[in-house]
Amino acid sequence: MNAIADRYRRHADAFERKVAAVESGQWESPSPCEDWTARDVVGHIIDMHGVMLRPLGRSLSPAPRLEDDPLGAFTSARADIQAVLDDPESAGTQCDTPTGRMTVEQQIDQVISDDMVLHGWDLARATGQDDRMDPADVERMWSSTSAIEDDVLEKLRTPEAFGPGVKVFGPEVPVPKDAPLQDRLLGMIGRDPR
């Protein structure tokens, strides 16, 4: 296995544990993502798994409905992406993305793998779970996010800049400079860690 596939599996494992821990009465709980419930957070992650398959001319496999079985819907989407990462030809396919040309596995790594960490925090907050992120992931994401050029960061903060209904980052939330790195990362992408 390679580092990207390993990271994806680790992030998917952690997200899956959070989905499995949601109690039946918590699915409509509001999340830190404006206008999203806990179920909406999981739905977004599943939808983004589908987006990662598009460069290969694929879509998500038939799966349980999010409304009926969020865990089953997620595990099915996860299996589709793991199959891509396990196939060197598919993983190495070049594709055009909003941030430039890269391989499918690189796009999976930069988009959905990191999304599961960040939206895992949202899901944990919505449902009263442990919201601590892996410190190594926080450090890696802080390093890459804080290195984004100002003009690109502004585009990431602009609703629908990458398409209808797409909102990547919210407006930055001020966080003390001596706050834990996880809080500073969350503030940078538009979450209030408090």
Side-chain angles (χ1 to χ4, degrees):
M1 276 190 249
N2 66 38
I4 289 175
D6 289 345
R7 187 166 32 249
Y8 174 83
R9 283 181 176 82
R10 189 167 46 81
H11 293 173
D13 285 346
F15 191 80
E16 186 172 319
R17 283 191 298 273
K18 287 181 176 71
V19 175
V22 176
E23 296 175 12
S24 60
Q26 294 180 312
W27 285 110
E28 301 313 314
S29 298
S31 84
C33 294
E34 191 175 304
D35 301 325
W36 280 5
T37 64
R39 187 185 312 274
D40 295 329
V41 171
V42 176
H44 168 73
I45 290 295
I46 292 167
D47 291 345
M48 290 306 295
H49 275 68
V51 170
M52 298 298 103
L53 297 172
R54 287 183 194 157
L56 299 168
R58 299 182 196 169
S59 56
L60 293 172
S61 299
R65 289 176 0 113
L66 174 68
E67 293 75 17
D68 301 329
D69 182 3
L71 180 59
F74 172 72
T75 57
S76 178
R78 175 187 179 171
D80 288 338
I81 292 297
Q82 285 183 209
V84 168
L85 292 173
D86 291 342
D87 173 24
E89 185 176 334
S90 295
T93 299
Q94 291 286 319
C95 63
D96 293 313
T97 76
T99 57
R101 192 154 178 81
M102 62 184 72
T103 64
V104 168
E105 73 175 355
Q106 287 171 319
Q107 186 183 32
I108 289 168
D109 194 41
Q110 291 179 18
V111 179
I112 194 61
S113 190
D114 284 351
D115 253 14
M116 287 188 291
V117 175
L118 299 169
H119 287 301
W121 181 86
D122 295 323
L123 185 59
R125 277 292 173 104
T127 58
Q129 298 182 52
D130 183 352
D131 65 6
R132 288 174 293 180
M133 298 181 215
D134 182 299
D137 288 329
V138 171
E139 233 175 271
R140 184 182 50 77
M141 287 189 288
W142 171 261
S143 177
S144 62
T145 305
S146 60
I148 296 172
E149 300 286 335
D150 287 342
D151 58 329
V152 176
L153 194 56
E154 185 59 36
K155 188 174 181 182
L156 290 168
R157 294 186 198 287
T158 304
E160 303 195 340
F162 291 100
V166 178
K167 183 177 176 184
V168 182
F169 292 166
E172 185 168 5
V173 174
V175 175
K177 292 193 185 310
D178 62 349
L181 192 58
Q182 175 174 309
D183 290 0
R184 288 184 282 151
L185 173 65
L186 290 164
M188 182 186 296
I189 66 167
R191 302 287 197 284
D192 187 344
R194 297 171 292 275

